[in-house]
Amino acid sequence: MKRLIFMGPPGAGKGTQAKIICDDYKIPQISTGDILRNAVKSGTEMGLKAQKFMEAGDLVPDSVVIGIIGERLREKDCSTGFLLDGFPRTIEQADALGKLLTELGIKLDSVINLAVPDADLVKRLLDRAIKEGRADDNEETIKNRLANYNSKTLPLLDYYRKKGSLREIDGLGSMQDIAAKIKKELG
Ligand code: AMP
């Protein structure tokens, strides 16, 4: 049973590593990005609200993603653990998550941060744009996503470092090597 947060800039390989870890520990991968992309695809009210922020590479309003996580963590499959992939991304989201976990009477095990230098990220994101055709993987949007990450999400590293739950992993290397490093850290 593990309750984890995966952090790291866009393009750090968070999603890929999250999948490996979730298969290994048999816990659900909760990606706010995936949930939002599905909502956009199916044209729900939430999707319509989120779409313009996502296409511009901006963060979707805190209230929307906090609502998503509040519902999702109450679902039955989360009772044996979970991995949050791409949430929280702001201090307000982290505070809301803290309150939610207290309400549910549970605690986080670890916050994993995958660190990758900015120069490598742009290249990886542009490569992904070609492979996956994501609407928000163009150069201008990528720059905005990185700027948002640096201003709004990076402060969360200190937030979790102070709580003693941050585990920092070098995100450069092969997929297998990085997965091995994460598993070693998680024990
Ligand atoms: P991702 O797949 O995690 O890179 O997320 C894709 C996009 O979804 C982001 O660029 C944001 O527009 C939106 N998004 C995903 N998670 C969050 C979050 N926790 N807070 C705000 N916006 C989010």
Side-chain angles (χ1 to χ4, degrees):
M1 145 94 90
K2 291 275 181 207
R3 298 189 186 102
L4 308 171
I5 294 180
F6 252 48
M7 298 212 354
K14 235 179 335 119
T16 308
Q17 292 299 330
K19 254 185 214 95
I20 299 175
I21 298 300
C22 285
D23 281 349
D24 229 60
Y25 290 94
K26 305 205 167 26
I27 50 176
Q29 176 184 0
I30 302 176
S31 156
T32 40
D34 282 348
I35 295 171
L36 289 166
R37 272 186 291 278
N38 282 333
V40 170
K41 220 187 278 165
S42 28
T44 64
E45 200 181 315
M46 180 175 78
L48 291 175
K49 219 195 264 181
Q51 190 168 19
K52 62 176 187 298
F53 295 99
M54 295 173 79
E55 280 175 359
D58 284 328
L59 291 182
V60 169
D62 286 331
S63 59
V64 175
V65 282
I66 290 168
I68 293 176
I69 293 294
E71 278 181 26
R72 187 64 187 87
L73 289 190
R74 287 184 166 86
E75 282 176 41
K76 207 164 162 231
D77 60 337
C78 292
S79 61
T80 51
F82 52 79
L83 183 155
L84 297 179
D85 166 14
F87 180 95
R89 264 174 151 103
T90 64
I91 298 280
E92 190 174 340
Q93 292 177 24
D95 282 339
L97 176 65
K99 277 195 202 122
L100 179 65
L101 295 175
T102 307
E103 248 172 73
L104 297 172
I106 55 179
K107 282 201 166 78
L108 286 175
D109 291 293
S110 309
V111 178
I112 299 281
N113 181 54
L114 275 184
V116 176
D118 270 15
D120 295 271
L121 295 172
V122 177
K123 190 183 167 303
R124 286 191 194 189
L125 288 165
L126 288 172
D127 282 348
R128 186 171 77 185
I130 296 164
K131 284 192 202 117
E132 294 178 17
R134 262 178 60 160
D136 59 351
D137 275 346
N138 58 70
E139 195 155 1
E140 196 184 326
T141 313
I142 287 170
K143 285 200 180 125
N144 194 30
R145 280 157 65 207
L146 286 175
N148 277 321
Y149 174 79
N150 286 324
S151 63
K152 296 181 180 145
T153 309
L154 210 52
L156 287 182
L157 295 187
D158 250 354
Y159 179 101
Y160 286 116
R161 197 176 282 125
K162 283 190 188 126
K163 291 186 191 287
S165 37
L166 188 71
R167 307 280 174 269
E168 297 191 74
I169 306 281
D170 179 355
L172 289 179
S174 75
M175 200 170 84
Q176 291 84 352
D177 285 349
I178 299 167
K181 278 190 265 182
I182 297 172
K183 284 180 205 169
K184 194 168 159 215
E185 195 64 56
L186 291 177

